Amino acid sequence: MTGTLAVLTAAALVTGCDPVGATGGSDAGAGSTGSSADPSRTTACTRFFGDADYHEAPAWRVLEGAAVIAGTAGTGPSDGGPSDGSPATAVASEVETSFADAPEDTREAASDVVTWLRTAPAPGEHADLDTFAVTWQGLAESCTPDSTAATWAAGHGQQGAKPAALVCAETFTAPSTLSVFADRDQVAPHLTAIAGASPQAVPASAATEVAEASDLLTAQSVAVDDPAVAAALREVRTPFQDALQGDLDSPGLHDPLTELGAACTAAGYDVPDPLAGTDTDPSYGGTA
């Protein structure tokens, strides 16, 4: 991950924000400028970013679509974007529909995201994900007065005020497109790919990913507004911190992720299977 995307990710970690696209401060609007007093913007932004349960946020589908585009072969020269019925077209159309009735400035910000989605399939794996990150942040900025999730996506969240539901969604549900891992998978499978679900040795070759995972978990534990979720995140972080100190014998993440899932459920974000998508005995193949 290089360029603007790396800069945005690093800045989000330093400020305690989560670099994944949709994250939030408190439902009282911590870090935001308050309601825009425009019901059409409020409706569009909260629906798109998934406030306040974050289970079926259209934003997640857009992030996944961007990762899919950037991870596939290009379609070649194209003036009009992908043909109707393609995944990219479906995702772009969903963004347009979501903001069709929003104020002009927000529609324009959404249009920038749509343009990227419709032109990126041509270069495919060579698509500029940094440009997507910038357009994504621009849309989040436009929605900041109305969406807690957008407030964090724009980098304006306050530490200790991020809803637990949002932190949990980013760990177990949201694609990690704009996180340190930068792909379509959720964070939890990345973590178990490094430290294992069951006991295993953390590969010495994973030093960079270990540090990134530790930083990400630290940022989330500091940002979240729920003490039990924060404590569970620190338990998940333990084998990564140990590895940074030279102890590569991971006890595995089965129990810590299960405990995090229980804390998330108690906080209002139901995680029926916190180990879904993870391998109980993965062999590390690189994650970032």
Side-chain angles (χ1 to χ4, degrees):
M1 182 172 54
T2 58
T4 304
L5 178 56
V7 171
L8 291 175
T9 299
L13 286 170
V14 168
T15 60
C17 305
D18 184 345
V20 177
T23 39
S26 72
D27 285 332
S32 73
T33 58
S35 174
S36 66
D38 190 318
S40 65
R41 191 192 328 263
T42 301
T43 298
C45 291
T46 56
R47 181 190 299 132
F48 181 76
F49 282 100
D51 302 279
D53 64 22
Y54 308 108
H55 274 288
E56 297 294 335
W60 297 162
R61 293 190 288 275
V62 175
L63 289 171
E64 181 176 27
V68 169
I69 290 170
T72 57
T75 60
S78 174
D79 295 325
S83 61
D84 289 344
S86 74
T89 294
V91 174
S93 296
E94 184 169 18
V95 177
E96 283 186 319
T97 299
S98 296
F99 292 98
D101 297 323
E104 182 178 2
D105 60 330
T106 302
R107 289 201 313 273
E108 290 177 352
S111 179
D112 290 339
V113 175
V114 169
T115 296
W116 189 92
L117 289 168
R118 287 185 169 154
T119 57
E125 61 186 342
H126 301 295
D128 189 350
L129 199 58
D130 288 348
T131 296
F132 174 76
V134 172
T135 62
W136 186 260
Q137 188 177 35
L139 178 56
E141 289 278 0
S142 182
C143 282
T144 289
D146 301 278
S147 166
T148 302
T151 297
W152 281 85
H156 303 310
Q158 296 179 355
Q159 291 183 351
K162 185 176 183 178
L166 198 45
V167 171
C168 296
E170 291 179 351
T171 303
F172 295 113
T173 305
S176 59
T177 307
L178 297 182
S179 82
V180 297
F181 298 118
D183 64 22
R184 64 186 294 184
D185 292 332
Q186 294 81 17
V187 168
H190 282 296
L191 299 177
T192 58
I194 304 169
S198 56
Q200 71 169 46
V202 176
S205 62
T208 297
E209 290 82 359
V210 166
E212 289 171 338
S214 178
D215 287 347
L216 182 59
L217 291 164
T218 297
Q220 292 281 45
S221 67
V222 171
V224 71
D225 65 1
D226 185 280
V229 173
L233 285 165
R234 290 193 292 270
E235 289 301 312
V236 174
R237 183 187 61 183
T238 296
F240 299 96
Q241 288 195 319
D242 288 348
L244 291 174
Q245 298 300 316
D247 180 1
L248 300 180
D249 292 327
S250 168
L253 295 179
H254 181 281
D255 290 347
L257 283 176
T258 299
E259 292 171 6
L260 177 58
C264 287
T265 298
Y269 187 86
D270 186 27
V271 184
D273 184 0
L275 292 169
T278 66
D279 188 336
T280 57
D281 187 21
S283 57
Y284 177 75
T287 58

